[in-house]
Amino acid sequence: MSKIYLYEDENSIAYRLRELRLDHELSQKELADKINVTHSQISRIESGETKYPYVNIIVSVAKLFHVSTDYLLGLTKITVPKS
């Protein structure tokens, strides 16, 4: 059975996580290894199966890709807030 991905919603964490990962040319496993989570956790977030990931995952992804958590959560289209 194939998975249905929720990439059509550009404000979803699934879409933004996948886009950031692909922009940095990382596989799901490589991303998972970099932030010390399992490949399946990344897969479930990207597929939309996990709608509310753990905060530590969101923070780790934001730090790794140098984006704000607000961007990942779809609260803003700006990747990094102005200082």
Side-chain angles (χ1 to χ4, degrees):
M1 179 188 299
S2 65
K3 291 184 179 179
I4 297 172
Y5 291 95
L6 301 176
Y7 299 138
E8 64 274 1
D9 182 1
E10 294 180 6
N11 291 320
S12 72
I13 191 165
Y15 178 89
R16 290 186 176 190
L17 175 62
R18 179 176 183 272
E19 290 301 306
L20 286 167
R21 179 178 61 75
L22 293 176
D23 285 348
H24 288 82
E25 299 179 352
L26 294 173
S27 68
Q28 289 180 343
K29 171 129 179 49
E30 289 169 327
L31 173 57
D33 290 345
K34 287 184 178 291
I35 64 169
N36 298 312
V37 299
T38 64
H39 164 261
S40 62
Q41 286 176 292
I42 300 300
S43 177
R44 286 192 307 268
I45 294 167
E46 287 190 10
S47 72
E49 184 180 334
T50 298
K51 296 189 187 320
Y52 306 105
Y54 291 116
V55 171
N56 65 316
I57 294 174
I58 295 169
V59 171
S60 294
V61 168
K63 285 181 180 179
L64 177 67
F65 294 133
H66 304 288
V67 298
S68 70
T69 54
D70 282 356
Y71 174 77
L72 282 174
L73 295 170
L75 300 175
T76 182
K77 291 182 187 255
I78 301 168
T79 55
V80 181
K82 294 180 182 178
S83 54

